[in-house]
Amino acid sequence: MGSNGTFLDNEEAPTYAPSIPVPNVQELVRKDPFQVPQRYVRKVEDRPKDTDTSYLSSFIPVIDLSLLLMGNNEELNKLDLACQEWGFFQVVNHGVAKQVSQKMKDAAAEFFKLSLEEKKKYAMPSDDIQGYGHAYVVSEDQILDWSDALILLVHPSHYRKLKFWPNSPKGIQEIIKEYSNAIRKVATELFQSFSLIMGMDKEALLGLHKQLVQAYRVNYYPPCSKPDQVLGVSPHSDTSTITILMQEDDVCGLQIKNNNEWVPVNPIPDALVVNVGDVFEIWSNGKYKSVEQRAVANYSKARISYASFLFPHDEVEIEPPSHMVDSKTTAAL
């Protein structure tokens, strides 16, 4: 940190938790579409159940960002309730151009079609979280997720480690930058509305970050011959302030915990899925909920998802602003 409290442009990117190497799931399926090694098989109680909760997906709130930007009170109230009751919502009229999203989807699909040898040029080292592979694998006994991922720090730009950024297909680096810039704009616009519903000045939430950090994770979920025995991503909550996810339009995989039920987040064409992360739950003094989520596998179709995580700088101490603590205390009296 500089003497005036700003963060230096030459500071190193954080590396996060080390991970041990594990097999590539896409390659497992390519060699034998019917094999599901024991390391991926969940305990019976942790497996996706056959109960149909898809009807609950329609209750997940849909927020119109264009109305929020106009200061529409009804939409702000909807946002407030969405963060309290669900911790998740889908956002429409978000301003990310369709061609920007589509270019990202096309480039990612081409990247995952590359040979394993080619993709391994960007392999995640054991002491970092950036690169292609698997993060958060800490033990040989750990049950593994049915997915592979490309993880990059995209903002601030001096956090980028370009040796992990694919060169193929042609232009993918620029496409990732363009898409990430568009998502960061959505995030900062949402932060303005979050600030308002938290009773703060419009720019206050962004200011709490000191330096907005953005990570990008593209998940590849191969088809699975036994989708009822595995999970694409284990149940977890996000450590971010918020996460903004782009889904495929035609394959559902994301599920969120609501009232003890796993509810699928059915894709709405051109919508983005936004969820409250652990940092935002703390900043809101528990008013807004960072809920559990997971991803399930599909029998016949591969699926790709695109998650952008927005964080404060590592050195920021996360605690609720005093007025959020005071208002909760007052409400309890």
Side-chain angles (χ1 to χ4, degrees):
M1 188 185 281
S3 55
N4 60 354
T6 58
F7 295 103
L8 301 173
D9 283 353
N10 60 356
E11 65 166 342
E12 294 233 334
T15 54
Y16 303 103
S19 190
I20 58 178
V22 293
N24 182 274
V25 185
Q26 188 180 1
E27 196 65 8
L28 281 176
V29 174
R30 190 186 68 77
K31 286 178 176 167
D32 179 0
F34 297 103
Q35 71 162 325
V36 179
Q38 201 57 38
R39 289 188 76 182
Y40 298 88
V41 176
R42 301 276 161 172
K43 293 177 187 167
V44 173
E45 62 269 24
D46 296 334
R47 294 177 187 178
K49 302 287 185 290
D50 211 9
T51 51
D52 184 19
T53 54
S54 56
Y55 70 97
L56 292 170
S57 186
S58 60
F59 293 103
I60 296 169
V62 178
I63 302 292
D64 186 329
L65 184 55
S66 66
L67 291 177
L68 289 179
L69 292 175
M70 292 191 291
N72 182 292
N73 279 327
E74 192 180 336
E75 210 64 14
L76 284 165
N77 288 334
K78 265 175 72 178
L79 179 67
D80 187 42
L81 280 174
C83 294
Q84 288 184 62
E85 295 175 358
W86 284 88
F88 263 83
F89 55 90
Q90 302 216 49
V91 64
V92 296
N93 295 326
H94 44 66
V96 178
K98 173 94 172 168
Q99 78 182 86
V100 171
S101 303
Q102 195 57 52
K103 277 197 298 187
M104 186 66 257
K105 288 179 175 180
D106 293 345
E110 287 302 312
F111 171 74
F112 288 111
K113 281 180 192 166
L114 297 172
S115 68
L116 181 59
E117 188 182 5
E118 185 65 27
K119 292 194 291 269
K120 275 190 163 174
K121 289 179 182 174
Y122 314 104
M124 189 184 297
S126 61
D127 63 346
D128 202 348
I129 200 174
Q130 297 201 61
Y132 172 70
H134 304 82
Y136 310 117
V137 182
V138 293
S139 120
E140 294 291 348
D141 304 324
Q142 187 173 330
I143 296 176
L144 301 177
D145 292 342
W146 195 259
S147 58
D148 307 308
L150 175 68
I151 304 176
L152 303 169
L153 284 174
V154 295
H155 184 81
S157 56
H158 59 269
Y159 276 8
R160 295 174 188 163
K161 294 182 180 173
L162 293 178
K163 64 183 177 183
F164 298 125
W165 288 55
N167 288 315
S168 184
K170 192 168 183 287
I172 188 171
Q173 293 191 7
E174 287 309 312
I175 290 167
I176 291 171
K177 288 177 197 171
E178 185 182 24
Y179 174 74
S180 297
N181 287 344
I183 291 294
R184 191 162 63 258
K185 182 171 184 283
V186 173
T188 53
E189 288 171 349
L190 283 170
F191 285 170
Q192 292 181 341
S193 294
F194 289 140
S195 296
L196 294 176
I197 61 177
M198 287 171 75
M200 302 189 295
D201 177 72
K202 224 178 189 181
E203 302 302 327
L205 187 59
L206 183 59
L208 288 176
H209 287 74
K210 303 297 183 200
Q211 165 73 72
L212 186 61
V213 177
Q214 183 177 359
Y216 186 41
R217 176 174 176 145
V218 187
N219 298 299
Y220 182 88
Y221 306 94
C224 181
S225 61
K226 296 173 183 171
D228 56 337
Q229 294 186 12
V230 306
L231 285 174
V233 169
S234 304
H236 66 283
S237 66
D238 287 342
T239 56
S240 54
T241 305
I242 61 169
T243 302
I244 301 180
L245 181 83
M246 178 168 70
Q247 301 201 82
E248 303 269 28
D249 287 340
D250 59 342
V251 194
C252 188
L254 174 64
Q255 297 184 342
I256 63 175
K257 201 81 170 278
N258 186 261
N259 291 329
N260 248 15
E261 295 263 27
W262 283 108
V263 179
V265 183
N266 293 337
I268 296 173
D270 300 331
L272 295 167
V273 180
V274 180
N275 67 274
V276 170
D278 298 346
V279 167
F280 196 23
E281 178 170 328
I282 295 167
W283 271 337
S284 73
N285 200 28
K287 182 181 181 184
Y288 303 134
K289 301 294 183 281
S290 176
V291 301
E292 260 194 310
Q293 55 184 290
R294 68 182 187 183
V296 296
N298 186 285
Y299 179 78
S300 57
K301 287 183 173 177
R303 172 176 169 262
I304 303 176
S305 69
Y306 310 79
S308 299
F309 304 90
L310 288 305
F311 293 92
H313 190 278
D314 264 15
E315 289 183 19
V316 172
E317 286 188 28
I318 312 297
E319 56 186 11
S322 55
H323 78 280
M324 293 301 292
V325 179
D326 295 343
S327 65
K328 194 156 185 177
T329 310
T330 309
L333 293 177

